[in-house]
Amino acid sequence: MKTPPDPHTMPATLAGLTGQGVDAIDTPALVIDLDAMERNLARMAAFARTHGVRLRPHAKMHKSAALAQLQMQAGAVGVCVQKTSEAESLAAAGVTDLYISNEVIDPAKLQRVAALARQLHAEGGHLAIAVDSLEGIARLGAAMADNTSGDDEALPLLDVFVEVDIGQGRCGVPPGEAAVVLAQAIAAHDGLRFAGLQAYHGRAQHQRGVDERRHAIAHAAQAVQRTRALIEAAGLPVPLVTGAGTGTFALETASGVWGELQAGSYLFMDADYAANVHDPAQPAFEHALFIKSQVISAGATHAVCDAGHKSHAIDSGLPVVQALPGQGAMTFANGGDEHGLLHPAEAGGELPKLGDTVWLIPGHCDPTVNLHDWLIGVRGGLAQGTVERVIRVDARGALT
Ligand SMILES: Cc1ncc(COP(=O)(O)O)c(C=O)c1O
């Protein structure tokens, strides 16, 4: 029987792309405009530096060790991940400072968390995790205790953040006393260190108006501040408050309450984020992630491209067409799994021809990246650029 190819081995067709023009990229493909991405990288790094906050970008967005390393070279202290297997994939590809900004409750997974904490410590790195229950802390403590072997000194302390629900209505305990109880439980455990508060307001990120976002984060800041004061009054220092995303990070920063930013999408900037009214306190980010697609059918009323929702996620809206010079403005409509329907943006507008390339800006970058094994990095623009590097999506499908 033939062995199926390892999805992590770069296919020869991709390996041979480096140095070739964009025309050589087969479609549909996920393409990074490297120039735009590097400007986003530098703008975010400069923001964090200038405002004296730590940056720990969320790598759930790109799932790629190479991009995590770029972020760390630009000043990030490490990266966040959301899943145990994401942490394992990035660690296996050389990222050594990881924070699982999420709850893990399954004992078998917690054994893996403890093993990873030990491995990263041995490599001079670091692992942290979030909790929101006494049961979760007990299980985590037990996994860390199990993970010592005879000739071992004690395991390194695992940094544990208490997650507070500051308005998203997802994980986290309510601000206030409940967080004090968890912080004390962490501090009472050998092997665990209370590292501070996880406070991420997911719902505020895509509120369109600046005032709505400002209001949400002002409210959240008060709740976090109150929680922090209660924990400190109970005799425990709160070393760090971590959170924030691409929609609001300037607000968390200005509050003085957060010491670490977890924004992720800024690097690629999807269509949904571009629909937010821009807050002048934040740097402006450019679209850097595109789906290259090709027109495979063209009629009198519309054209059809070869990218459907197996190429891009549609949970936050359909892709937006990036018109290149010489191309008329177009809208994208859902054509199903493998097709996209293109219409002129204005009556009488021109349609692309058979074989033409159409560049799409995905509605939501995180789940779009998770549909692809490789990101093709182009230098010199989408119209005339050259493929500079092909980047592996190391944690593609790492959902456990
Ligand atoms: C816990 C957490 N932190 C940070 C982020 C990063 O947000 P964004 O990609 O919107 O910048 C997310 C995204 O969902 C998240 O879930």
Side-chain angles (χ1 to χ4, degrees):
M1 208 172 74
K2 221 173 146 195
T3 320
D6 174 354
H8 282 148
T9 306
M10 193 184 296
T13 44
L14 281 183
L17 266 185
T18 307
Q20 295 204 56
V22 279
D23 286 351
I25 303 171
D26 197 7
T27 58
L30 201 54
V31 173
I32 303 176
D33 178 337
L34 292 173
D35 302 291
M37 183 191 79
E38 286 168 12
R39 287 191 289 271
N40 291 343
L41 179 82
R43 284 173 192 152
M44 188 69 198
F47 178 92
R49 216 174 28 248
T50 314
H51 292 83
V53 279
R54 287 155 56 109
L55 177 61
R56 183 179 284 279
H58 220 300
K60 78 200 265 296
M61 194 283 281
H62 54 65
K63 288 175 166 275
S64 154
L67 296 181
Q69 306 284 16
L70 270 188
Q71 290 173 313
M72 290 172 72
Q73 280 156 21
V77 295
V79 292
C80 300
V81 291
Q82 210 75 315
K83 295 297 188 132
T84 306
S85 55
E86 246 173 6
E88 289 168 334
S89 300
L90 293 190
V95 183
T96 54
D97 198 321
L98 292 159
Y99 168 38
I100 304 172
S101 59
N102 196 6
E103 283 66 20
V104 177
I105 210 74
D106 176 58
K109 274 198 190 102
L110 287 167
Q111 291 293 335
R112 285 161 46 197
V113 168
L116 188 60
R118 192 220 300 253
Q119 178 202 317
L120 291 177
H121 180 75
E123 292 168 10
H126 189 70
L127 184 69
I129 192 166
V131 295
D132 72 355
S133 66
L134 285 173
E135 176 74 22
I137 294 165
R139 290 180 180 208
L140 188 56
M144 290 297 283
D146 282 356
N147 231 269
T148 44
S149 63
D151 52 353
D152 229 14
E153 288 153 45
L155 254 189
L157 288 179
L158 177 63
D159 272 358
V160 185
F161 289 87
V162 170
E163 180 161 10
V164 180
D165 180 3
I166 53 167
Q168 179 158 23
R170 195 169 67 180
C171 299
V173 290
E177 265 313 319
V180 182
V181 173
L182 296 189
Q184 286 171 326
I186 295 165
H189 252 283
D190 289 343
L192 307 183
R193 183 182 87 103
F194 172 58
L197 298 175
Q198 162 71 18
Y200 172 69
H201 198 322
R203 197 174 285 169
Q205 301 310 312
H206 293 93
Q207 287 182 323
R208 295 303 180 211
V210 178
D211 280 346
E212 289 167 276
R213 298 197 295 273
R214 191 172 294 136
H215 180 76
I217 299 306
H219 189 74
Q222 278 180 7
V224 175
Q225 191 71 295
R226 181 166 56 85
T227 307
R228 171 183 215 142
L230 284 173
I231 297 172
E232 285 170 350
L236 275 179
V238 180
L240 185 67
V241 176
T242 179
T246 299
T248 62
F249 66 85
L251 298 167
E252 279 91 342
T253 304
S255 75
V257 174
W258 279 261
E260 186 176 89
L261 307 178
Q262 299 176 358
S265 301
Y266 74 92
L267 195 64
F268 287 165
M269 197 60 191
D270 53 35
D272 192 26
Y273 258 128
N276 274 9
V277 176
H278 178 243
D279 178 351
Q282 295 202 171
F285 299 113
E286 302 169 48
H287 293 301
L289 186 74
F290 300 88
I291 293 130
K292 184 188 174 201
S293 72
Q294 186 175 50
V295 174
I296 55 169
S297 171
T301 56
H302 65 275
V304 183
C305 72
D306 60 357
H309 53 250
K310 283 183 181 166
S311 312
H312 51 260
I314 56 173
D315 59 301
S316 301
L318 293 170
V320 169
V321 181
Q322 168 90 339
L324 293 188
Q327 242 176 10
M330 281 174 269
T331 61
F332 182 100
N334 191 355
D337 296 357
E338 287 90 9
H339 300 91
L341 308 180
L342 304 165
H343 293 93
E346 282 171 18
E350 247 183 67
L351 277 170
K353 297 183 293 302
L354 283 178
D356 278 1
T357 294
V358 174
W359 295 92
L360 307 174
I361 303 161
H364 190 183
C365 46
D366 309 38
T368 296
V369 170
N370 192 51
L371 295 169
H372 295 260
D373 289 319
W374 305 96
L375 295 155
I376 299 171
V378 165
R379 178 77 64 196
L382 300 180
Q384 307 286 337
T386 303
V387 176
E388 182 175 286
R389 61 189 296 200
V390 180
I391 298 166
R392 192 165 99 176
V393 184
D394 302 275
R396 189 229 169 138
L399 305 179
T400 61

